[in-house]
Amino acid sequence: AQSVTQLGSHVSVSEGALVLLRCNYSSSVPPYLFWYVQYPNQGLQLLLKYTSAATLVKGINGFEAEFKKSETSFHLTKPSAHMRDAAEYFCAVSPEYSSASKIIFGSGTRLSIRP
Amino acid sequence: DGGITQSPKYLFRKEGQNVTLSCEQNLNHDAMYWYRQDPGQGLRLIYYSQIVNDFQKGDIAEGYSVSREKKESFPLTVTSAQKNPTAFYLCASSDGGIYDGYTFGSGTRLTVV
């Protein structure tokens, strides 16, 4: 069965500092991996996705993530945090072969930005 | 522009009443999903439908019901059997594959008063 674990329910960084949000997955088959962002009282928006092409994936708003099979990780990074990055971030996994099209979401990490 | 529309944005319900949340999409997606979101618990799948006139229970279907009579619409009814219905509800859709992930609506916040 697939699962995803996000380490740290809350991360706080200073404006301009590196953002690192951690995600580890469990999958018996090659997975598709996603990062979503949710601003308060809104739905989720796709930030980026890994679909077995390049292991370093670039997304919107300056975010990127690297797929590391040996570490079963897909951590999200951004070199310099902005105040507008304050939101909840969700990592998600889906097995590549799946016809049921069910994506499994992590429990989320709330990112706060200090001025 | 194509997208998913959830209505209403905020909904208040008295205990013992059923209430229906609307979800409409114009993306021509085959699959639609309902999630419940509570603080600190991420997203939990309530029901999903991969095709018109067919749907399956998710992880927390008790106290909820759905219908899928049209491709564009997937309404969720929160029944009086749902013991703790106050939550943020999210509807999503996909083209049936998993390559592009899901497209989400903006959510409905249900409060029981």
Side-chain angles (χ1 to χ4, degrees):
Chain A
Q2 292 73 39
S3 66
V4 60
T5 302
Q6 293 184 240
L7 300 176
S9 60
H10 182 209
V11 170
S12 179
V13 302
S14 297
E15 191 173 18
L18 171 71
V19 175
L20 171 60
L21 304 182
R22 301 178 185 273
C23 173
N24 287 89
Y25 68 92
S26 171
S27 178
S28 58
V29 296
Y32 286 169
L33 293 158
F34 308 86
W35 275 101
Y36 286 85
V37 61
Q38 184 183 31
Y39 299 101
N41 292 313
Q42 294 186 28
L44 278 67
Q45 178 184 3
L46 183 65
L47 266 181
L48 50 79
K49 63 183 179 184
Y50 167 76
T51 55
S52 71
T55 57
L56 182 62
V57 182
K58 294 187 182 299
I60 62 173
N61 301 339
F63 284 93
E64 62 181 36
E66 185 173 9
F67 173 70
K68 292 187 176 180
K69 185 178 179 179
S70 61
E71 299 178 7
T72 61
S73 68
F74 191 56
H75 302 331
L76 182 71
T77 61
K78 182 174 181 177
S80 178
H82 292 99
M83 296 300 293
R84 63 176 176 265
D85 295 327
E88 185 115 23
Y89 292 80
F90 292 91
C91 183
V93 63
S94 184
E96 187 176 319
Y97 70 85
S98 174
S99 62
S101 60
K102 281 175 60 180
I103 294 177
I104 307 300
F105 290 88
S107 57
T109 297
R110 183 165 60 91
L111 176 64
S112 299
I113 310 298
R114 301 188 300 271
Chain B
D1 288 336
I4 298 181
T5 301
Q6 290 188 243
S7 61
K9 181 73 172 176
Y10 299 94
L11 188 57
F12 297 88
R13 189 196 88 174
K14 293 182 178 180
E15 284 194 32
Q17 287 183 337
N18 292 354
V19 64
T20 298
L21 282 59
S22 171
C23 178
E24 303 277 336
Q25 55 101 356
N26 60 3
L27 298 165
N28 200 33
H29 284 172
D30 288 315
M32 298 186 74
Y33 312 82
W34 274 106
Y35 287 88
R36 171 179 172 142
Q37 187 175 25
D38 297 281
Q41 296 195 42
L43 279 69
R44 292 184 289 169
L45 182 64
I46 305 172
Y47 269 97
Y48 66 101
S49 167
Q50 293 181 270
I51 196 170
V52 175
N53 293 322
D54 188 43
F55 49 83
Q56 286 78 41
K57 293 181 179 180
D59 301 317
I60 56 165
E62 185 176 351
Y64 299 97
S65 66
V66 293
S67 63
R68 187 83 188 279
E69 297 176 1
K70 298 186 300 181
K71 187 175 186 178
E72 307 79 41
S73 179
F74 192 41
L76 173 74
T77 297
V78 184
T79 75
S80 56
Q82 170 50 234
K83 298 306 180 187
N84 185 23
T86 295
F88 190 54
Y89 291 87
L90 286 163
C91 181
S93 70
S94 75
D95 63 1
I98 53 175
Y99 184 83
D100 291 319
Y102 295 170
T103 300
F104 282 84
S106 58
T108 292
R109 185 166 298 281
L110 173 63
T111 303
V112 174
V113 296

